[in-house]
Amino acid sequence: MTFPTPSPADWKALAEKALKDRPLESLVHIDADQLIVRPLYAGATGVETVRAPRPSDADGRAWDLRTLVEGDDPEAVNAAALDDLRGGAASILLRGEVLSDSEPLGRALDGVALELAAVALDAGLDGPDAANALAVAAKGSPRARLRFHMDPISAFAETGESPRGMAEHLDLAANTAARHAGAYPEATLFMASGRVVHEAGGSIAQELAFVAASVVEMVRAADRAGLSAEQALKGTVLGVSVDQEYFDSLAKVRALRLVWRSICQAFGLDLPAIIEARSSRRMLSARDPWPNLLRLTAAGFAGAVGGADALVLDGFTRVEGRSDAFARRQARNTQLVLMEEASLGRVDDPASGSWYLDHRTRDLAEAAWAEFQIIEAEGGLLEALRGHLIQPRVARARAVLEKALADGGKHMVGVTKFVDPDPRPASAEPAPAPVLQGGGDACVPLTPMRLAAPFEAKEAGQ
């Protein structure tokens, strides 16, 4: 049996009828990057198919299920890490005072087989010290799967200050990487992340451009430390945020692979991208945390379908503090359901062939590359941050987001729509206030924001 194939003209006639008095152009959307999103895509629009798959699976699984463990007490962190690994996580991301020295970090990793479970770090400007501590804790095992994740640029951009000049911080990270690269061939060295832009309200192209500019800064620093461009690029993990806007988020992950290809080609190389996607914190609500479970599920879907190599979901109570055991379990099980029950990883790059998603992926990649070229023309990422050139552009994108929510163009479940008048509380562990480290470089910070915050403040005032 055959079915008729409708043409764009057929769709137009039905759309105009459904819109009644509204013009067809009202279905066209312009995003914060000034990219046009049309209501209908078809082969007639000339969309070129994009292929941006993961290079391989993660030890037989579709992606690396990475869990965030935060803490200052080594024994508590150890118990949480082992619980997550026994519960289905493949790797852990550590944050907190346990990274301050090899002794507490070694206790926190007691019983963790570093040759099987990758350990990643989130230590900000203290990344080189944390990397040294992890290297000691690994006891020289050449098969240890260490993810040093040194990323001084993101920490500087978020806080607006650093204890040393940023060139010195970059050189320190690069020299630390050069020292450990030979002993730990399975390790990755740097994290080039654009999450700081996303969390400050930035657009997708701005976030991806920040990633690309970070990569270039780290390669330059690695060259000064005696590492080749190939060694530096092979040792770099790309960090990106995924949120409840799952089509845009999965297109973002795919677009990042296209941007990476262009960067590698500029160095005369052809290397696979390693992408770690983390769930957005700007999308989380505080007053009623339970709808965050829906948002985190959507973010996990986007990361999985978009082809992230590793995926980290926050606990649903992360706004109120560090995730407790229940919140970590929910974050872990969300990924397990997506992977093992929904089987999202069984199809390689499932978005490929979708006219809309292929078009959106290519648009985002091209817009990101144009923004990256602007940053390079401004003297590179650090000069653009110091010169207050990136921050106003991010602020304009943030204003577009906030206006869409305020005007009703966008909604947040539990915040602007379907608001629970008597939300149930959820527990979280207290998180220490961040300690600023000044005295060196300075810039206007890309301060994290939350989209729900104005509505929650208004609700509290009533």
Side-chain angles (χ1 to χ4, degrees), residues 269-281:
L269 299 168
D270 182 14
L271 300 170
I274 306 171
I275 299 176
E276 179 190 89
R278 300 192 201 177
S279 59
S280 164
R281 290 184 177 175

Side-chain angles (χ1 to χ4, degrees), residues 251-329:
K252 180 201 300 186
V253 176
R254 301 176 79 231
L256 183 52
R257 292 201 185 275
L258 302 187
V259 172
W260 173 258
R261 288 177 195 170
S262 296
I263 293 173
C264 288
Q265 287 170 3
F267 287 99
L269 299 168
D270 182 14
L271 300 170
I274 306 171
I275 299 176
E276 179 190 89
R278 300 192 201 177
S279 59
S280 164
R281 290 184 177 175
R282 80 182 190 192
M283 72 172 180
L284 299 179
S285 57
R287 176 184 173 272
D288 185 2
W290 299 97
N292 289 335
L293 292 168
L294 300 175
R295 287 184 271 270
L296 289 163
T297 301
F301 171 89
V305 175
D309 299 276
L311 183 56
V312 184
L313 296 185
D314 263 318
F316 72 105
T317 58
R318 188 57 186 77
V319 176
E320 294 300 316
R322 291 170 170 170
S323 302
D324 62 9
F326 176 72
R328 286 197 311 274
R329 179 186 175 190

Side-chain angles (χ1 to χ4, degrees), residues 72-344:
D72 306 322
D73 178 66
E75 281 66 37
V77 169
N78 180 252
L82 292 176
D83 184 59
D84 280 347
L85 291 171
R86 283 192 294 262
S91 64
I92 54 175
L93 174 66
L94 295 179
R95 182 184 174 101
E97 284 300 311
V98 293
L99 304 180
S100 62
D101 191 70
S102 59
E103 192 278 329
L105 183 55
R107 287 157 54 199
L109 294 176
D110 183 36
V112 176
L114 297 179
E115 296 81 7
L116 300 176
V119 173
L121 307 177
D122 186 353
L125 289 170
D126 294 324
D129 291 337
N132 289 332
L134 181 59
V136 172
K139 300 177 181 178
S141 172
R143 295 172 54 209
R145 303 174 61 188
L146 311 182
R147 306 290 179 256
F148 293 128
H149 274 26
M150 288 182 284
D151 181 16
I153 297 176
S154 289
F156 173 62
E158 181 176 343
T159 63
E161 54 190 43
S162 62
R164 301 181 177 93
M166 281 305 298
E168 187 178 350
H169 278 291
L170 284 171
D171 286 343
L172 182 59
N175 285 320
T176 302
R179 184 163 61 252
H180 297 309
Y184 295 105
E186 298 295 320
T188 58
L189 310 171
F190 309 115
M191 164 68 79
S193 174
R195 294 178 59 248
V196 64
V197 170
H198 172 88
E199 300 297 0
S203 69
I204 295 175
Q206 290 167 350
E207 181 181 359
L208 298 182
F210 197 96
V211 174
S214 292
V215 171
V216 172
E217 293 283 5
M218 292 311 304
V219 171
R220 289 169 179 153
D223 178 68
R224 295 193 294 270
L227 290 171
S228 68
E230 183 173 7
Q231 287 174 305
L233 291 171
K234 276 186 176 179
T236 298
V237 177
L238 309 179
V240 70
S241 292
V242 285
D243 63 15
Q244 81 283 2
E245 300 284 350
Y246 47 83
F247 280 144
D248 269 358
S249 289
L250 71 88
K252 180 201 300 186
V253 176
R254 301 176 79 231
L256 183 52
R257 292 201 185 275
L258 302 187
V259 172
W260 173 258
R261 288 177 195 170
S262 296
I263 293 173
C264 288
Q265 287 170 3
F267 287 99
L269 299 168
D270 182 14
L271 300 170
I274 306 171
I275 299 176
E276 179 190 89
R278 300 192 201 177
S279 59
S280 164
R281 290 184 177 175
R282 80 182 190 192
M283 72 172 180
L284 299 179
S285 57
R287 176 184 173 272
D288 185 2
W290 299 97
N292 289 335
L293 292 168
L294 300 175
R295 287 184 271 270
L296 289 163
T297 301
F301 171 89
V305 175
D309 299 276
L311 183 56
V312 184
L313 296 185
D314 263 318
F316 72 105
T317 58
R318 188 57 186 77
V319 176
E320 294 300 316
R322 291 170 170 170
S323 302
D324 62 9
F326 176 72
R328 286 197 311 274
R329 179 186 175 190
Q330 293 300 313
R332 186 178 69 240
N333 285 351
T334 295
Q335 287 206 55
L336 288 173
V337 169
L338 293 173
M339 181 186 294
E340 298 181 2
E341 296 189 27
S343 299
L344 292 187

